[in-house]
């Protein structure tokens, strides 16, 4: 068997890597995200060093078209990211080298890594939620990534506002009505006039943030009944959040449904910042 390739395509930076069949990384690099053509020029230049790549997993920022047979399958759809709306990402890669590609979202990539070898490795049903510049979710049900007409956009579910939260407007589509608009990093900074890193433990900000993340976890629980809900991204790096999320979840659930022990149900990622690349390798190998 040859090598596996991974492309973690983020809105801010791209990470590319190759590994052997046992996921030992041979080479890895990262560079800032430019427009589609310039960025993929760098991606292809990296992979050109290797002539024995059997498959590549691509986990891309969205929205993207993942529906095979669609006219725009493999494209990045409408996005504010300059030079990416309507870009044929997968088509460019196939034109370079026609090998198998696993094409999915960035959160699906990281979520799959947590499902395979991370915090949800003993589950068959899980939700991975990343909370950072934006909010997104990778969902596994019955051991398979959830998709239908497109990929889930679980970061844009509508929520009730915290009674003490008077912040308005972040999401350009939904204002302060959706999870991303209320709980993403830019919303935290706009609300409190300081970044999440600068807000001390014990601040009211974390109670309000936990309320929204718990409410989201409650909604996913009601619909999907997962065995694990895993939080990743920059905001959940703050360990003070997890006890607050669990307490708020229990209060909002109000004993309606039985769930696993909350210490074991609402958990942080186990693969850290490597989740995206690992997920790409794991998904690439499923094609072989």
């Amino acid at each position: 068997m040859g090598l596996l390739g991974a492309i973690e395509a983020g809105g801010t930076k791209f990470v590319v890597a190759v590994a052997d069949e046992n996921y030992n990384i041979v080479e890895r690099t990262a560079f800032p995200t430019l427009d589609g053509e310039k960025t993929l020029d760098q991606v292809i230049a990296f992979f050109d060093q290797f002539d024995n790549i059997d498959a590549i997993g691509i986990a891309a920022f969205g929205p993207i078209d993942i529906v095979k047979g669609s006219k725009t399958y493999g494209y990045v759809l409408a996005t504010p990211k300059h030079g990416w709306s309507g870009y044929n990402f997968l088509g460019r890669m196939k034109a370079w080298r026609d090998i198998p590609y696993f094409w999915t979202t960035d959160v699906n990539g990281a979520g799959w890594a947590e499902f395979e070898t991370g915090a949800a490795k003993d589950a068959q049903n899980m939700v991975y939620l990343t909370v950072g510049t934006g909010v997104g979710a990778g969902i596994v049900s019955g051991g398979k990534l959830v998709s239908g007409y497109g990929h889930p956009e679980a970061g844009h579910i509508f929520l009730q506002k915290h009674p003490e939260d008077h912040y308005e407007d972040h999401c350009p589509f939904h204002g302060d009505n959706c999870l991303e608009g209320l709980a993403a990093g830019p919303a935290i900074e706009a609300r409190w006039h300081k970044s999440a890193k600068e807000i001390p433990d014990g601040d009211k900000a974390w109670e309000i943030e936990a309320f929204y993340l718990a409410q989201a976890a409650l909604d996913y629980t009601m619909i999907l009944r997962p065995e694990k809900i895993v939080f990743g991204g920059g905001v959940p790096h703050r360990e003070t959040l997890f006890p607050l999320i669990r307490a708020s979840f229990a209060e909002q659930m109000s004993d309606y449904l039985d769930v696993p022990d909350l210490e074991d149900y609402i958990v942080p990622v186990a693969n850290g910042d490597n989740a995206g690349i690992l997920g790409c390798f794991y998904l690439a190998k499923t094609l072989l």
Side-chain angles (χ1 to χ4, degrees):
M1 179 177 172
L3 298 172
L4 300 169
I7 304 173
E8 185 182 8
T12 302
K13 71 174 181 178
F14 268 52
V15 182
V16 289
V18 292
D20 64 23
E21 61 184 300
N22 296 314
Y23 312 116
N24 299 305
I25 292 180
V26 174
E27 192 160 346
R28 168 180 175 153
T29 192
F31 40 81
T33 304
L34 305 174
D35 63 37
E37 280 297 297
K38 290 176 183 174
T39 305
L40 287 209
D41 283 346
Q42 294 182 78
V43 169
I44 287 168
F46 171 80
F47 286 120
D48 266 338
Q49 302 172 84
F50 310 95
D51 57 10
N52 59 334
I53 298 173
D54 287 344
I56 294 177
I58 306 172
F61 69 90
I64 60 175
D65 189 341
I66 63 166
V67 181
K68 291 181 179 178
S70 164
K71 290 180 180 179
T72 53
Y73 173 66
Y75 283 65
V76 177
L77 302 177
T79 172
K81 189 70 179 170
H82 174 71
W84 284 97
S85 285
Y87 185 71
N88 188 358
F89 191 132
L90 187 57
R92 175 80 194 279
M93 294 304 301
K94 283 186 169 291
W96 163 73
R97 196 175 292 176
D98 194 13
I99 57 176
Y101 294 89
F102 199 107
W103 169 247
T104 192
T105 63
D106 49 359
V107 285
N108 275 352
W112 191 257
E114 290 301 306
F115 171 71
E116 285 280 2
T117 58
K121 64 183 179 182
D122 297 321
Q124 284 295 297
N125 307 279
M126 59 85 73
V127 175
Y128 166 80
L129 192 75
T130 184
V131 187
T133 304
V135 179
I139 300 168
V140 177
S141 181
K144 296 181 180 180
L145 286 167
V146 169
S147 64
Y149 190 65
H151 52 79
E153 281 288 348
H156 289 271
I157 59 172
F158 277 39
L159 301 180
Q160 292 184 339
K161 288 190 74 169
H162 189 284
E164 297 177 62
D165 184 14
H166 306 295
Y167 168 73
E168 296 181 0
D169 191 46
H170 165 64
C171 175
F173 300 96
H174 310 125
D176 60 345
N177 291 306
C178 74
L179 174 60
E180 182 171 300
L182 289 164
I188 295 173
E189 188 163 352
R191 181 188 286 112
W192 302 108
H193 308 295
K194 59 180 78 171
S195 72
K197 291 180 180 178
E198 298 172 303
I199 299 172
D201 291 356
D203 194 283
K204 186 72 175 182
W206 296 119
E207 178 190 322
I208 289 176
E209 180 72 6
F211 173 81
Y212 292 130
L213 298 183
Q215 192 179 158
L218 184 80
D219 289 347
Y220 304 143
T221 298
M222 295 292 188
I223 297 167
L224 299 164
R225 298 308 304 271
E227 296 148 79
K228 290 273 189 186
I229 297 178
V230 183
F231 281 93
V235 173
H237 280 173
R238 290 298 287 268
E239 294 182 7
T240 188
L241 259 179
F242 282 90
L244 295 172
I245 294 169
R246 293 174 187 130
S248 184
F249 178 92
E251 182 180 355
Q252 293 182 67
M253 178 63 80
S254 193
D255 295 323
Y256 179 65
L257 290 177
D258 285 333
V259 295
D261 177 77
L262 291 182
E263 293 277 338
D264 194 47
Y265 182 58
I266 296 172
V267 297
V269 294
N271 284 314
D273 294 336
N274 290 319
I277 283 293
L278 281 173
C280 289
F281 287 139
Y282 298 155
L283 290 167
K285 195 169 183 179
T286 67
L287 300 173
L288 303 176

